[in-house]
Amino acid sequence: MFARVCTIDTGRFDRVIAVSDIHGSDAAFCRLLARVGFGAGDALVLLGDYIERGDASLPLLRRIMRLDAQGAAFALAGNCDNLLEDLFTPRFRGDIPAYLRRRKTILHEMLAEQGTPFGADTTADALRALVARHYAAERAWLAALPHIIDTPGHVFVHAGLDAGPLTRQDAERCVRRQDFFAAAPAFAKPVVAGHIPCQSLRADGLGAPLFDRARNLILIDGGAQVVPGGALNALVIARGGYEVVQEPV
């Protein structure tokens, strides 16, 4: 399947603020937005992986959905964000109850919110019924997310791009790949991506964004909920330059 591409004219905004891989870190996300002074005149571009691993995936998702509805945020799909679709059309996780026994997910929060916490007797059928009855809006919003956001100055994607037109990119490779930094070609304009914690890409092992100016790559995943001591990174793009703000999780 070819990627869904969303084109945004960011020229009407004073700043573009990019954040990736929030992973249920709702409180840290709120602190980060406060630290960068997010407000009117800013475009918030979110690079996917909103759910799983953290303890507040559901409140975070609802916050992002509200920002999106207000026109204040533009959100992309990440590989973790297909968990609800995987429940109905299994592709990656197979036995969802078994998966839930290994990892914190938004489904745990949905079950708890409905008063039926996850347990040994939780079945996939029960999970499907729960989502269909109470969380159809969240499921639909996640399923409709684009894979690429194209702006006049930058391209945003969760995991990476291949050479060639954006409209011919493979959707799965946009959200799920490990080799982007090693294999990426040079791009005509900067490509901002997340997915792989910067700690595993930088020679110094730090979680700050990684800039490869020769190939026009900017990697911004700070390893929140994935790497011990991970953080959320905000890449603030304004007046032709970059500022980085980090918020511990």
Side-chain angles (χ1 to χ4, degrees):
M1 181 179 80
F2 289 132
R4 294 188 293 271
V5 182
C6 176
T7 300
I8 301 170
D9 178 12
T10 50
R12 58 194 173 94
F13 297 99
D14 298 325
R15 302 187 301 172
V16 176
I17 302 168
V19 183
S20 78
D21 297 82
I22 308 171
H23 284 298
S25 306
D26 186 50
F29 180 62
C30 291
R31 295 195 303 268
L32 181 65
L33 294 186
R35 286 188 60 196
V36 301
F38 171 66
D42 294 330
L44 181 62
V45 179
L46 302 172
L47 275 64
D49 277 10
Y50 313 114
I51 63 176
E52 293 196 75
R53 296 183 182 272
D55 293 318
S57 290
L58 190 53
L60 172 67
L61 178 59
R62 287 169 171 162
R63 187 179 309 281
I64 293 171
M65 289 173 67
R66 288 194 298 272
L67 290 169
D68 175 64
Q70 296 163 6
F74 306 93
L76 283 169
N79 60 295
C80 287
D81 303 318
N82 61 19
L83 174 62
L84 299 186
E85 282 311 300
D86 229 17
L87 180 61
F88 290 85
T89 308
R91 290 188 62 196
F92 304 108
R93 296 171 180 87
D95 185 342
I96 295 291
Y99 179 80
L100 267 60
R101 287 193 286 272
R102 302 193 306 270
R103 179 173 293 178
K104 298 176 184 178
T105 79
I106 196 171
L107 288 169
H108 290 93
E109 297 173 38
M110 290 174 169
L111 284 162
E113 185 174 73
Q114 298 305 319
T116 56
F118 178 75
D121 57 347
T122 302
T123 66
D125 284 342
L127 290 167
R128 282 189 283 269
L130 180 98
V131 172
R133 181 174 182 181
H134 299 287
Y135 301 101
E138 289 85 350
R139 178 191 173 196
W141 187 85
L142 287 168
L145 288 173
H147 304 102
I148 298 168
I149 289 177
D150 186 25
T151 76
H154 298 77
V155 178
F156 299 89
V157 66
H158 179 65
L161 297 173
D162 294 308
L166 297 183
T167 54
R168 305 295 290 181
Q169 298 288 321
D170 180 85
E172 187 58 35
R173 284 179 61 76
C174 288
V175 301
R176 188 186 302 271
R177 60 185 295 182
Q178 303 298 111
D179 65 342
F180 180 57
F181 183 68
F187 293 97
K189 59 184 175 183
V191 174
V192 184
H195 186 55
I196 302 296
C198 291
Q199 290 91 334
S200 66
L201 300 174
R202 294 173 57 100
D204 57 15
L206 298 178
L210 176 62
F211 293 80
D212 184 331
R213 299 187 186 278
R215 292 186 291 166
N216 262 337
L217 303 180
I218 308 175
L219 287 302
I220 67 169
D221 179 3
Q225 306 293 352
V226 176
V227 176
L232 292 179
N233 290 329
L235 179 72
V236 183
I237 306 168
R239 296 177 294 279
Y242 301 106
E243 177 188 0
V244 173
V245 179
Q246 289 187 288
E247 178 60 38
V249 173

